[in-house]
Amino acid sequence: MSAPAAPPAPARPPEPETAAPAAPTKPGRDRYLDLLRSVALVRVVVYHLFGWAWLSVLFPSMGVMFALAGSLMARSLKRPALGVVRGRVRRLLPPLWIFSAVVVTMMFANGWNVVDDPDHGGTLGVVGLLNYVFPLGAPPFPWSVGSQSGLLEQTWAVQAAGPLWYLRAYLWFVFASPLLLWLFRRAPWPTLLAPLGLTAVVGTGLVTIPGETGNAVTDFAVYGSCWVLGFAHNDGLLKRIPRYAAVSGASLVMAFGLWWASGHLGPDGWDLNDIPLAQAAWSFGFVVILLQYSPSWRELPGRLARWDRLVTLSNNRAVTIYLWHNLLILATVPLIDLAYDLPFMQSDRATAALDAAYPLWMFALVWPLIGLMIVAVGWVEDVAAKRRPRLWPNGAGRAAARRTASGGGHRG
């Protein structure tokens, strides 16, 4: 007789499938910071077009831009410092070289001779031209060049070279960042507040440093705390401070800045660009509040999403926009002046209407000109960053790829 069959083993419940661990996501761009940079660039263009002094109080663009650059610099310095500094310099210089080649050629073509210039003459003037190649100092330029009948007004060179101070300050901060970040992580508060103290010394006349050296030191002091605030944002220091304490302290510093400005108004009234200590205090407090509320968006939310492509474009071409915007503002004038010769513009009423709307027409025309300049020379920023050159990098392809990927994940 055969042995009785063994009872069947009880069925084991199927083990739940374990999901594969998610691949670590690469740190992407912070769209909140990108939005702030775009707003800062627009504010700079509007300020240089209309000259409204109150814009320096409404939104201190330069302090914001230095803070954002400081945050990105601290993030990059996880890698060897020499390579990071070299990369930052490499990204900045080629766009500057294109700009300098055009502007310096225009100066010489209009009859400027740096050797005979009473303000920049001799050997020092010739050596100073190197600042158009590597802007560690102030580049020479004529205060008046060309003729009154020329396409551009005779002070166009002053306006064109004006933005170069920012590149000089930026390079100073880039070279100082490895040391500044080392000091910040060992003594955060003294490093953060030291530039404000330096501004109180060199930005108030207490100690005077003559010439462009004094201007460079003052710029470094005025915006130094904003740059270090970028370090604090990257390292999470601001998030460890209770929001009420950070906002209250920042408000007190800003109030001091306005109080100081009220007693030291410059030729343009409340223009903080003429009042270094007020600029430093107001920018510092303003940036603290902006970064304290930093939401770290991966995508622009809600109605802001409609501006996504313009924000992407302006961030990818920030150096081009900043370098060329002043010259392009001046270029709107001869274009608008052509309207006076149109047949229907020969009446006094039509001429008066165009005169009244002249700044608005400048505002409307400068943006297409900036767009043309982005297409013409903006690709140099890609070459400098060792990327594939793009004519109009507004992220449209990236958005389409993202939509395709999200739709392709579902099977019919």
Side-chain angles (χ1 to χ4, degrees), residues 22-74:
T25 58
K26 295 182 179 179
R29 294 193 66 91
D30 189 331
R31 298 300 280 169
Y32 175 73
L33 301 186
D34 287 348
L35 178 63
L36 291 182
R37 186 178 293 105
S38 297
V39 173
L41 283 171
V42 172
R43 206 285 281 160
V44 167
V45 175
V46 173
Y47 170 81
H48 286 152
L49 200 158
F50 294 102
W52 294 330
W54 52 268
L55 285 175
S56 65
V57 178
L58 178 66
F59 194 89
S61 286
M62 306 318 298
V64 172
M65 290 171 68
F66 279 120
L68 301 181
S71 180
L72 292 176
M73 189 69 185

Side-chain angles (χ1 to χ4, degrees), residues 400-412:
R402 191 166 57 244
R403 288 193 299 269
T404 302
S406 62
H410 302 283
R411 295 186 180 183

Side-chain angles (χ1 to χ4, degrees), residues 13 23 58-59 61 69 99 117 123-124 154 161 166 189 199 241 258 269 272 292 298 300 307 311 325 341 382 395 399:
L58 178 66
F59 194 89
S61 286
F99 174 80
D117 191 303
T123 305
L124 290 179
Q154 290 178 288
Y166 173 80
W189 291 108
T199 306
I241 302 173
L258 291 183
L272 299 186
Q292 176 65 229
R298 289 299 179 92
L300 293 177
W307 302 100
V311 169
H325 76 275
D341 297 330
D382 291 328

Side-chain angles (χ1 to χ4, degrees), residues 8 55 57 59 113 121 153 166 203-204 226 232 237 239 249 281 285 289 293 295 309 321-322 327 333 351 362 399-400:
L55 285 175
V57 178
F59 194 89
N113 187 339
E153 62 178 77
Y166 173 80
T204 60
C226 292
L237 175 64
K239 294 296 185 183
I289 294 174
Y293 282 89
R309 292 187 180 184
I321 294 170
Y322 184 80
L327 193 59
V333 175
T351 301
M362 293 176 68

Side-chain angles (χ1 to χ4, degrees), residues 13-326:
E15 296 182 0
E17 296 182 0
T18 57
T25 58
K26 295 182 179 179
R29 294 193 66 91
D30 189 331
R31 298 300 280 169
Y32 175 73
L33 301 186
D34 287 348
L35 178 63
L36 291 182
R37 186 178 293 105
S38 297
V39 173
L41 283 171
V42 172
R43 206 285 281 160
V44 167
V45 175
V46 173
Y47 170 81
H48 286 152
L49 200 158
F50 294 102
W52 294 330
W54 52 268
L55 285 175
S56 65
V57 178
L58 178 66
F59 194 89
S61 286
M62 306 318 298
V64 172
M65 290 171 68
F66 279 120
L68 301 181
S71 180
L72 292 176
M73 189 69 185
R75 176 178 169 179
S76 298
L77 282 173
K78 296 174 182 177
R79 307 192 303 271
L82 181 60
V84 173
V85 171
R86 186 168 55 239
R88 286 290 186 273
V89 174
R90 186 191 67 238
R91 291 186 179 199
L92 182 68
L93 293 185
L96 170 66
W97 293 339
I98 297 295
F99 174 80
S100 297
V102 172
V103 170
V104 174
T105 300
M106 289 174 60
M107 292 177 186
F108 289 151
N110 279 269
W112 181 53
N113 187 339
V114 65
V115 176
D116 297 332
D117 191 303
D119 298 315
H120 309 284
T123 305
L124 290 179
V126 175
V127 173
L129 289 174
L130 294 176
N131 286 299
Y132 285 104
V133 180
F134 203 94
L136 287 178
F141 52 84
W143 288 96
S144 179
V145 65
S147 63
Q148 293 183 353
S149 59
L151 289 177
L152 299 178
E153 62 178 77
Q154 290 178 288
T155 61
W156 68 264
V158 180
Q159 306 298 324
L164 296 183
W165 75 267
Y166 173 80
L167 274 65
R168 175 186 64 194
Y170 178 85
L171 278 183
W172 280 39
F173 283 126
V174 166
F175 289 128
S177 282
L179 176 60
L180 284 176
L181 187 58
W182 183 85
L183 291 172
F184 172 75
R185 288 174 175 169
R186 283 153 182 79
W189 291 108
T191 308
L192 183 61
L193 299 177
L196 292 176
L198 181 60
T199 306
V201 175
V202 300
T204 60
L206 187 63
V207 172
T208 302
I209 303 175
E212 284 299 328
T213 301
N215 293 334
V217 172
T218 300
D219 293 336
F220 187 87
V222 167
Y223 299 106
S225 287
C226 292
W227 187 274
V228 179
L229 276 173
F231 295 170
H233 172 262
N234 178 78
D235 288 6
L237 175 64
L238 293 178
K239 294 296 185 183
R240 296 197 294 268
I241 302 173
R243 180 168 292 176
Y244 74 88
V247 174
S248 299
S251 299
L252 290 175
V253 175
M254 294 169 70
F256 168 79
L258 291 183
W259 171 79
W260 181 266
S262 67
H264 300 81
L265 298 180
D268 296 320
W270 283 87
D271 193 332
L272 299 186
N273 295 303
D274 299 329
I275 317 170
L277 184 56
Q279 177 72 282
W282 181 260
S283 298
F284 176 86
F286 201 96
V287 168
V288 166
I289 294 174
L290 286 179
L291 296 183
Q292 176 65 229
Y293 282 89
S294 177
S296 297
W297 295 324
R298 289 299 179 92
E299 302 290 340
L300 293 177
R303 295 183 178 180
L304 291 175
R306 71 183 65 177
W307 302 100
D308 181 81
R309 292 187 180 184
L310 286 178
V311 169
T312 301
L313 178 66
S314 62
N315 276 267
N316 283 326
R317 294 294 179 260
V319 178
T320 300
I321 294 170
Y322 184 80
L323 277 175
W324 291 91
H325 76 275
N326 251 8

Side-chain angles (χ1 to χ4, degrees), residues 327-394:
L327 193 59
L328 296 177
I329 288 173
L330 295 175
T332 64
V333 175
L335 293 176
I336 299 173
D337 285 348
L338 294 175
Y340 287 102
D341 297 330
L342 296 174
F344 58 85
M345 290 295 300
Q346 302 310 307
S347 66
D348 292 339
R349 175 177 293 183
T351 301
L354 182 57
D355 290 342
Y358 208 101
L360 297 179
W361 280 109
M362 293 176 68
F363 178 80
L365 279 176
V366 72
W367 301 109
L369 292 180
I370 289 175
L372 289 174
M373 193 58 62
I374 287 175
V375 173
V377 301
W379 54 269
V380 177
E381 292 195 53
D382 291 328
V383 175
K386 296 184 177 181
R387 292 192 297 257
R388 177 179 59 84
R390 300 163 294 173
L391 292 181
W392 196 256
N394 64 348

